[in-house]
Structures are given as C-alpha cells and as structure tokens.
Amino acid sequence: MNITVFGATGAIGSLVVEQALADGHQVTAFTRDTSRVTARHDRLEIVAGDVTDPGACLPTARGADAVVVALRAAYADHGRQEHVVEESDLDWTIVRPSAFTDRSPGPFRHGFDGSAQGMLLKIGRSDVAAFLLAQVQDGTYLGRTVSVSA
C-alpha cells in the first residue's frame, strides 16, 4: 500500500513512517525539513513542503492509497480540518488519541463513548502510530471518528 504521511518528522509521524516501512508499505514522508527524516529505505520517498500550502500537499496526496496526518501545529485548527474531511468524497477515519506518553501505559481501548469508565486517558505514541496504520487496512471505523486511550 502507498501511504503518505504529513508531519513525518513529529513524535507520531516518525513512528508511523517507521512502522509502515517495517510492514512493507511504500511511504511518502512530507515535511518542511527533509534532513529531520531519520528513516532511510528504498520504499521511502521524502518530499519537502509546507502543509499550509495546498499546492504542495495535493500532488503528494494524489495517488496515495492512504494519507495519515500527524500535525501538532495543525491541532488548533482541527475542527475545520475534520469538517473538510467529513464533507469530502474520500474514505476517511479520524482518530482522536488521548494524552501521549513515551511508553505504552498498557492495553488501550478504541471506539468508546463519553461515558466510558476506568480510562487512564493516556496512550503511547507507538500505540497511536500502530492504530493509525491498522486503520489504513481496516474498515471498522471508515467514515467515523474514533477515540483511543488506555
């Protein structure tokens, strides 16, 4: 599968890139600073650009089987982003993780609602990356928004 990762040098994005390559995917890493992409592989293409420039993003996303957006700075505008995604004709899943930790706090849950009890409200960055990659091939949450947390 051909996966484009926006925010490929961030804490989650870099893990998505590494895990996707380990799983045998073709990966396009989109970043402002290509020198910050530490992974190297023959199935990895690194593209320089600014995520706020649609002219740079669109050609990178076209032809991808899946697009993963892991942008910390874009979080402030997530409501608008989600609306655009939800109104598009794309197959989409929006993942809302709880607070990130460097290490997995243990098994995590997904697909819960606001009444869920006994949650740590933390999740390991590598767990988030793995869940994002799983959604690329799993249609369980297609066209839905899903929360993940330990």
Side-chain angles (χ1 to χ4, degrees):
M1 186 170 280
N2 183 4
I3 301 172
T4 296
V5 180
F6 289 96
T9 58
I12 302 294
S14 61
L15 292 169
V16 171
V17 169
E18 290 174 17
Q19 290 180 23
L21 290 169
D23 288 349
H25 298 290
Q26 175 71 35
V27 178
T28 301
F30 188 92
T31 181
R32 281 175 292 163
D33 183 357
T34 59
S35 69
R36 292 186 54 213
V37 178
T38 57
R40 295 291 180 257
H41 202 283
D42 60 341
R43 290 189 320 274
L44 175 63
E45 178 184 359
I46 303 170
V47 176
D50 181 346
V51 296
T52 64
D53 177 9
C57 295
L58 289 174
T60 305
R62 279 194 187 102
D65 297 310
V67 176
V68 174
V69 180
L71 298 163
R72 177 183 5 193
Y75 182 77
D77 198 26
H78 76 277
R80 193 178 116 209
Q81 293 172 29
E82 288 184 3
H83 178 74
V84 169
V85 169
E86 291 167 349
E87 296 300 314
S88 75
D89 61 353
L90 301 171
D91 290 337
W92 58 268
T93 301
I94 295 173
V95 178
R96 292 182 179 156
S98 56
F100 299 134
T101 60
D102 288 331
R103 287 196 261 171
S104 178
F108 65 90
R109 299 190 304 195
H110 50 85
F112 52 86
D113 63 19
S115 65
Q117 299 288 317
M119 308 282 293
L120 293 176
L121 300 180
K122 296 180 182 181
I123 191 165
R125 288 177 176 89
S126 62
D127 292 334
V128 175
F131 187 78
L132 290 170
L133 282 174
Q135 298 318 296
V136 166
Q137 298 181 71
D138 180 351
T140 301
Y141 295 110
L142 196 60
R144 295 173 51 198
T145 300
V146 59
S147 297
V148 293
S149 183

